[in-house]
Amino acid sequence: MRVHHLNCGTMRPLGGKLLDGRPGHLRRGTMVCHCLLIETEDGLVLVDTGIGSDDIRDPKASLTREFLLAANPVLDVRETAAQQVVNLGYKIEDVRHIIPTHLDLDHAGGFRDFPDATVHVYAEELRVAQAQATAKDRSRFRKAQWAHARFESYQTSGEDWFGFQAVRNLKGLPEEILIVPLRGHTAGHAGIAVDIGDKWLLHGGDSYFFEGEMDPAHPHCPPMLTLFQKIVETERTPRLRNQDRLRDLARDQSGRVELFCAHDPAGLARYS
């Protein structure tokens, strides 16, 4: 399977070094929406969709005021998954499946661009998003982005995989693609693992935000990102436990699993 690494939404929040670790405090930081486009024998699969075309055409209809002010997304239609799929020579309907790491608004924005795709998600993630029980949930899970979607939901069950339990494959997808429970950031947050032959790629979503957090010897993270993760987390203990497990993978010198997260531009740059 061929895997394309896409940035489906540049964000430029304030914070500088406190946010992205690079020199300079009085500047905007840079974050990305790192998505995958996977070519399979039965069509294309998207892992996360970033910010979608409708979000760009009418931001206030599906993106919250708080997100627009804090994240300061660039809102460039050329960065949408839909435009990049077309630029690669495919048609929109070639995208048969979408696997979001979770349903936050900066991960699910592109669902509407692929109306015929099946969206695969943990049942608990879908339940919480649909319930809209708290102001926090209503802010992060935007129904306008996925009210139309055809969901396939899953219980957290499966086999062991590199120290993680309840890892499973998905209906209609090749066995080289697995969903890995990484709850904590949200109730049904997932990692998506892709076997590319010589190793596995593991898209960790928002289980962590900065490559330095996976440093086996010296885990570190800029203070603004550390604070942000605490503010938005659903459950702290599972989130931190999963970070520990991910660091165990990073310590493995065999290189059997390659990690990256959703928003760190350094992780995306490795595949440019």
Side-chain angles (χ1 to χ4, degrees), residues 19-90:
L19 183 93
D20 61 20
R22 296 186 290 109
H25 291 85
L26 300 178
R27 62 172 178 81
R28 289 190 176 274
T30 300
M31 301 177 74
V32 298
C33 293
H34 188 163
C35 303
L36 302 181
L37 181 68
I38 307 168
E39 300 178 4
T40 77
E41 293 182 357
D42 190 32
L44 302 177
V45 179
L46 269 170
V47 177
D48 278 348
T49 62
I51 295 170
S53 303
D54 286 347
D55 297 328
I56 293 169
R57 280 191 288 268
D58 188 5
K60 294 180 180 178
S62 53
L63 303 176
T64 65
R65 180 174 180 271
E66 292 78 13
F67 175 77
L68 291 168
L69 289 173
N72 190 36
V74 172
L75 298 179
D76 185 344
V77 71
R78 293 172 297 182
E79 290 190 339
T80 61
Q83 186 62 60
Q84 294 186 70
V85 165
V86 171
N87 289 347
L88 286 167
Y90 294 104

Side-chain angles (χ1 to χ4, degrees), residues 127-266:
R127 184 192 68 77
V128 173
Q130 290 178 330
Q132 301 276 286
T134 69
K136 182 179 179 180
D137 290 343
R138 291 189 291 275
S139 177
R140 71 192 305 177
F141 305 125
R142 305 296 290 170
K143 277 192 171 182
Q145 294 179 329
W146 41 261
H148 78 283
R150 184 171 71 244
F151 285 105
E152 186 75 59
S153 63
Y154 301 83
Q155 299 302 318
T156 306
S157 62
E159 307 297 328
D160 291 348
W161 182 86
F162 291 103
F164 291 89
Q165 298 176 331
V167 176
R168 61 173 298 160
N169 54 16
L170 300 163
K171 296 175 184 176
L173 289 167
E175 62 184 11
E176 290 86 358
I177 300 175
L178 303 175
I179 187 168
V180 182
L182 293 175
R183 67 181 298 159
H185 178 72
T186 62
H189 186 279
I192 310 303
V194 185
D195 185 354
I196 59 172
D198 59 334
K199 60 187 173 184
W200 288 87
L201 299 178
L202 179 57
H203 190 315
D206 287 1
S207 57
Y208 66 100
F209 277 69
F210 186 68
E211 278 204 330
E213 293 181 83
M214 293 297 107
D215 186 324
H218 243 6
H220 60 283
C221 183
M224 282 187 66
L225 282 184
T226 299
L227 177 61
F228 177 74
Q229 291 182 75
K230 291 179 180 178
I231 291 172
V232 300
E233 68 189 5
T234 299
E235 297 174 279
R236 179 162 302 177
T237 298
R239 180 177 70 84
L240 297 179
R241 185 182 300 122
N242 283 323
Q243 286 190 352
D244 287 339
R245 290 173 177 169
L246 291 169
R247 269 188 289 275
D248 288 341
L249 285 183
R251 291 187 185 98
D252 185 348
Q253 298 299 309
S254 69
R256 293 176 298 168
V257 181
E258 192 166 283
L259 300 172
F260 51 89
C261 62
H263 297 306
D264 191 344

